[in-house]
Amino acid sequence: RTLQGLEYLVGYPHGCPEQTMSPALATLRVKQYYESRGKLTDAMNASFKSNMQRAYDQMKAPTGYNAQKIWGTYTEDHQYYGAWAWGQMSSPSLFYTLYPNYVFSELKHDMQESDFDWGVYLNNTTEINLTASTLWLIDQQRADGGWQDWGYISNRYEWTGFMSEKFCGEFEFIETDYAKEQVNASLNKSFEFLESGSYNSQPAKAVAYGIFGLDAIKEHYKENATLGTRADTKMQALLDRLFTLRQGDAATGYYWSDGWYDDSETTALA
């Protein structure tokens, strides 16, 4: 079933960054699933490698259909430097930059932990530059420490929790001291936003992402006991909130619903 689902995703129309990176992320996770069980085959390996190469070629500068804006006139002082958009000449968006940054960061982790040959190496920063995309994302952070945009994600707690978790997870790949300082400053602001926020009217996904972000920042600053205590206190309150949002019963099963699409994503996050 996992291979059938992957085949469906790979058959997506490969236009926007979401349609490009969703099959790439699925390819990564399916490969990890089969690898952990010692079930990889030569045919799988060739398919996984081909899928990831397709995504990389679609997103790389300067030739990809959605080429990262690190080429031509997109120099470091350009307002779009480091971002991604749907098409080379379009204005970038928060999600279209966050999603490739996240997937390629996850791919780098896999490259460190496995000797699987993906055929792409993510070491040519003239094609894919994760530090540049991270700095562009930081530039979009609001003064109160949160992020806001419309599209695939609209809730500010979801944005900020996801962004915080991603920044912490990719910190080792940030290439300059300046960029690391910017990431830490951003995480400090995110922590204040997530900790001080009121979640009483927030749906389950927003509460879950608040926990994800706080937990990631706590681990990032694990030597800071005071911050850790503050994070634990807030996360416990958010866990209590999740329990109040739970639906169903022990006999038929519990689930969470935000009223959008089906309940599986919200339940999995909660």
Side-chain angles (χ1 to χ4, degrees), residues 218-230:
K218 174 190 171 183
E219 177 62 22
H220 181 71
Y221 290 123
K222 57 187 174 184
E223 304 300 325
N224 187 333
T226 301
L227 182 144
T229 299
R230 290 170 59 190

Side-chain angles (χ1 to χ4, degrees), residues 224-240:
N224 187 333
T226 301
L227 182 144
T229 299
R230 290 170 59 190
D232 285 339
T233 300
K234 187 67 176 187
M235 286 192 288
Q236 184 58 59
L238 295 182
L239 286 171
D240 293 341

Side-chain angles (χ1 to χ4, degrees), residues 134-135 138 141 145 147 164 167-172 174 176-192 216-217 219-222 227:
T134 296
L135 290 175
I138 289 173
Q141 191 173 20
W147 276 267
S164 301
F167 286 171
C168 292
E170 70 168 16
F171 191 77
E172 64 184 293
I174 301 300
T176 68
D177 290 340
Y178 168 78
K180 289 180 178 179
E181 291 172 1
Q182 294 300 303
V183 170
N184 282 329
S186 173
L187 288 172
N188 293 340
K189 293 168 63 177
S190 296
F191 182 83
E192 296 299 329
I217 296 171
E219 177 62 22
H220 181 71
Y221 290 123
K222 57 187 174 184
L227 182 144

Side-chain angles (χ1 to χ4, degrees), residues 41-110:
T41 66
D42 290 342
M44 288 182 191
N45 294 346
S47 174
F48 297 157
K49 185 174 179 178
S50 175
N51 295 348
M52 195 62 71
Q53 185 70 58
R54 185 183 301 115
Y56 182 88
D57 290 344
Q58 187 90 334
M59 306 303 291
K60 73 176 183 180
T63 57
Y65 179 76
N66 300 316
Q68 187 181 11
K69 296 183 183 298
I70 53 175
W71 58 278
T73 60
Y74 297 112
T75 57
E76 290 190 24
D77 57 349
H78 195 286
Q79 63 174 330
Y80 294 158
Y81 179 75
W84 271 284
W86 185 352
Q88 289 194 1
M89 307 310 296
S90 302
S91 299
S93 81
L94 207 55
F95 186 80
Y96 283 165
T97 302
L98 169 63
Y99 200 28
N101 187 293
Y102 168 69
V103 175
F104 285 130
S105 296
E106 291 295 288
L107 179 59
K108 289 198 76 165
H109 279 296
D110 187 80

Side-chain angles (χ1 to χ4, degrees), residues 9-22:
L9 279 175
V10 172
Y12 252 33
H14 289 281
C16 71
E18 184 275 327
Q19 291 177 343
T20 301
M21 300 314 300
S22 289

Side-chain angles (χ1 to χ4, degrees), residues 30-31 34-35 37-42 44-45 48 116:
V30 172
K31 171 263 177 186
Y34 280 95
E35 184 178 45
R37 289 157 177 77
K39 298 293 186 180
L40 286 176
T41 66
D42 290 342
M44 288 182 191
N45 294 346
F48 297 157
F116 185 86

